[in-house]
Amino acid sequence: MYSKNERGSAGLITVIAIIAVIVIAAMIVVPKYNNLVTGEETVDAAWAQVENQLQRRFDLVPNLVNTVKGYAKQEEEIFTQIANARTQYGNANTVGEAAEANNDLSSALSRLLVVIENYPTLKSDVQFTRLMDELAGTENRLAVARKDYNDTVQQFNNTVRRFPGNLIAGMFSFEQKDYFEVKEGVEEAPAVDFD
């Protein structure tokens, strides 16, 4: 039989082993959890930058449309499509809905640029030229923001999917984030020639 002293030391060893397992588990879980929180915040910050550029773009478009309207009153369908895309963006609640509104606006802007080609006096208008330059700059900033967002989403999703991050993400309800994807056919900006 075991003596009282031997049972006490066996119990102490068991308690120390349990504490060691808890400490080791905490050393694995806490950094991974913090990494997931940081990743999610980084994704949210990157999305905020995309939204800033989308908002800038959607704010510039009415000025551009009003300038074009003065020259091309008969192009009402395109103006309606642009207005609908702006409304759709205003009502967007998810990355996917915002991306769809962006794609619809891109499509309408492509058609508007084709219409502009038919109005040489419009192309020489100073306000129109300034607005087109601002829009081109915004398109570039939007492309960079979209790339940065998708890069952070990729990093976050990798963390959520890899072991042991997937276990910790599941325990704390972290889910993969959606990419900001462009609709097929709008990958390339329309060619505009003002000559």
Side-chain angles (χ1 to χ4, degrees):
M1 282 276 167
Y2 294 108
S3 69
K4 187 175 184 182
N5 195 19
E6 290 175 341
R7 279 186 282 165
S9 62
L12 181 60
I13 291 174
T14 304
V15 169
I16 290 173
I18 291 171
I19 290 173
V21 168
I22 291 171
V23 168
I24 290 170
M27 289 172 55
I28 293 171
V29 171
V30 170
K32 275 294 184 190
Y33 175 80
N34 289 339
N35 192 19
L36 287 165
V37 169
T38 301
E40 190 168 57
E41 288 301 316
T42 303
V43 168
D44 290 345
W47 177 245
Q49 287 304 311
V50 170
E51 283 187 316
N52 286 340
Q53 296 309 319
L54 284 172
Q55 188 61 54
R56 177 177 162 75
R57 180 185 195 210
F58 280 95
D59 289 344
L60 280 172
V61 168
N63 295 329
L64 183 63
V65 166
N66 287 334
T67 302
V68 174
K69 272 185 180 180
Y71 288 88
K73 293 180 181 1
Q74 69 275 13
E75 308 295 346
E76 196 61 40
E77 180 183 343
I78 292 172
F79 303 136
T80 302
Q81 290 170 349
I82 290 171
N84 289 343
R86 290 186 77 236
T87 301
Q88 184 181 359
Y89 174 72
N91 295 331
N93 293 318
T94 66
V95 172
E97 290 172 356
E100 186 176 334
N102 175 62
N103 291 336
D104 290 348
L105 181 64
S106 293
S107 177
L109 284 175
S110 295
R111 288 190 294 283
L112 179 65
L113 294 176
V114 169
V115 167
I116 289 167
E117 288 296 315
N118 296 324
Y119 297 92
T121 55
L122 172 62
K123 292 186 276 187
S124 65
D125 183 87
V126 174
Q127 181 181 1
F128 173 76
T129 304
R130 184 183 59 77
L131 289 169
M132 286 302 295
D133 289 344
E134 282 186 47
L135 186 60
T138 300
E139 293 294 335
N140 290 337
R141 286 189 290 278
L142 180 57
V144 169
R146 186 173 46 232
K147 180 195 176 307
D148 291 347
Y149 171 77
N150 284 339
D151 288 347
T152 59
V153 167
Q154 180 183 25
Q155 289 175 332
F156 179 78
N157 288 350
N158 285 341
T159 302
V160 168
R161 294 182 66 204
R162 288 185 186 148
F163 182 82
N166 60 346
L167 300 175
I168 296 162
M171 287 184 344
F172 294 104
S173 300
F174 286 97
E175 295 179 357
Q176 291 187 58
K177 302 290 185 179
D178 292 331
Y179 288 98
F180 188 127
E181 299 177 314
V182 293
K183 185 170 42 172
E184 208 171 294
V186 294
E187 296 91 358
E188 295 181 23
V192 180
D193 182 14
F194 290 118
D195 295 330

